[in-house]
Amino acid sequence: MNNIATQRIKREFKEVIKSEELAKCSIKVDLVGDSYTELKGEIAGPPDTPYEGGIFLLEIKVPETYPFNPPKVRFMTKIWHPNISSVTGAICLDILKDQWAAAMTLRTVLLSLQALMAAAEPDDPQDAVVAKQYKEYPEIFAKTASHWTNVYAGGIICS
Amino acid sequence: MSPPHNPDAEYFPVQCLSVDEVEKFLNELVEQLCTSIHVTPSMSKVLLYENKWAVQEVLWKYNEDADKLFVASRMKTLHPVSVKTKRDKFVCPVCVGPVAEELGITSLACGHCYCDNCWRCHFENKIKQGVSTELSCMALNCELLVPEEIVLSTVNKPILRKKYQQFAFREYIKSHPLLRFCPGANCTAVIKSKESLAKKAICTQCETSFCFKCGNDYHAPTDCATIKKWITKCADDSETSNYIAANTKDCPKCNIFIEKNGGCNHMQCLSCKFDFCWMCMGDWKAHGTEYYDCSKYRENPQNGSESARAREALKKYLHYYERWENHSKSLQLEKQTLDKIKERINSKVMTSKGTWIDWQYLLDSAALLAKCRYTLQYTYPYAYYMDNGPKKELFEYQQAKLEAEIENLSWKIERAETTDRGDLENQMDIAEKRRATMLQDFFHI
Ligand SMILES: [Zn+2]
Ligand SMILES: [Zn+2]
Ligand SMILES: [Zn+2]
Ligand SMILES: [Zn+2]
Ligand SMILES: [Zn+2]
Ligand SMILES: [Zn+2]
């Protein structure tokens, strides 16, 4: 891994640890191994959403060219959401693609994902089935999403 | 006396330029702007790229409100952040390390400042992804474009510099409304015109023809947006329409196997001499000379269930698609007909039955037939998207007329030895007039 990437990730890691979001048990980042190329993220389901009370694990892979290219992020916890694949956990979010900027950090990525959970964008769907349900039958959608949260994402952050 | 009229409404004058000639043409525009207002050539390029190379318009906007022009052209931001002047306490937000003594720091017009090493990594990363003219600042949500001179003074790998310049050159051409890359395979020519119109441009280098406005195959009387919709639809629906593709059919009368070997839809069974229409397999005589109604789709006005409507929609689409496909295939087969004509003329010339000049009219008629069929093919997408009503009825009536005359012409050409020359030339005239009628609205003649 090149110098800038390692330097950056080390710094960002500290940034998350010191952040007030961590204190509020809302986001968390852990190392996987000691290479800084792979990390594990955690997001608490935002309040007043079907994801409330759930803990969602993320796989974060840091590319060689970080931070000039975005990290590769995927939900490891199954989630029912229009912009996240219910099968693979792949995420459709602009900042993880062409809207990425080198000055963004892991913290901003996690907070953006949390915001995405609170406000889906069904017109730019990753999972067409979920998006259709979200638009046409919002009540059934909310029920399914909260059922998935209970089944797959049950737990408490800050172990 | 009638005013002199242009005999060909489709005539579209274009210039075929080499890469060097385009470069010269664009550089002249850049210089023209540089000498009129105080900007560097690099900034001038951004201004022109962002404003479709309209020098006069840029000058006018500049005199009106220069700041507004620069912001709109992504060369300035509305609220630039204050530029870092002291570098001792500067921490680059991207590499977050102390900036080495020998390394510079650079801020763009937006004020966003990073170390030169990070800028270089950013530029190289983007160039590798094919980004050139759209290369922007590294800050979040900052759209400011990086001028060429900054990129070239930062990136030093020769391969990447070259790549960047090539990509940028391509983008400049693409952003100029009067320049088009020739879509011909392996052709490097750039076509230049005086107006951006949906007319037929022909590359003098490789003879490829295309619609100047959208770059697709020439498509009159259908407009650019409609032909795009149609091509996308056909690509999506190719599965359902596959079954029509068969090139062989049985004679409806004696059931003998017949292969279509010319473009003509007027089929004659060699075995029982039955004349029939390839499209509907009906008796040719029933189509009449007055009204060849095989081209007209009759919509069923019944309002049934959703599945019935879907079936009806598919039927309607297939009607148009079948004819579109069929004329496209006929056009391919006409090429074989042309080869056969050449062979026939050759054998006549060899046996001293006239010279090539005497038989030239046969080649002309084959060329005209191809032209008519091409236009006919492109009337189907147009008709498909037309609203029902008298306008569509008239269009399809004229379309049927053209189709009938094309079939007549095709029939006569395939049997040219037994057809009188005057008769054939008369038929050519009729077909071309019918074709011109179909193009009337498109060219506003
Ligand atoms: Zn830096
Ligand atoms: Zn900026
Ligand atoms: Zn060409
Ligand atoms: Zn076009
Ligand atoms: Zn027969
Ligand atoms: Zn017919």
Side-chain angles (χ1 to χ4, degrees), chain A residues 4 7-8 11 65 67-69 99 101-104, chain B residues 94-97 117-118 121-122 125 129 138-140:
Chain A
I4 300 181
Q7 204 165 300
R8 266 284 299 262
R11 244 313 259 277
T65 50
F68 303 100
N69 282 321
Q99 290 302 304
M104 291 185 80
Chain B
V94 168
C95 59
V96 296
N117 190 40
C118 283
C121 290
H122 174 59
N125 183 53
Q129 291 169 8
M138 266 191 282
L140 182 59

Side-chain angles (χ1 to χ4, degrees), chain B residues 16 182-185 187-189 191 203-208 210:
Chain B
C16 196
C182 168
C187 184
T188 55
I191 315 295
C203 172
T204 51
Q205 297 274 305
C206 70
E207 290 186 352
T208 299
F210 60 99

Side-chain angles (χ1 to χ4, degrees), chain B residues 77 108 110-112 114 119 137-139 142-144:
Chain B
T77 49
L108 300 181
C110 52
H112 296 126
Y114 303 97
W119 280 121
C137 173
M138 266 191 282
C142 183
E143 306 250 284
L144 194 96

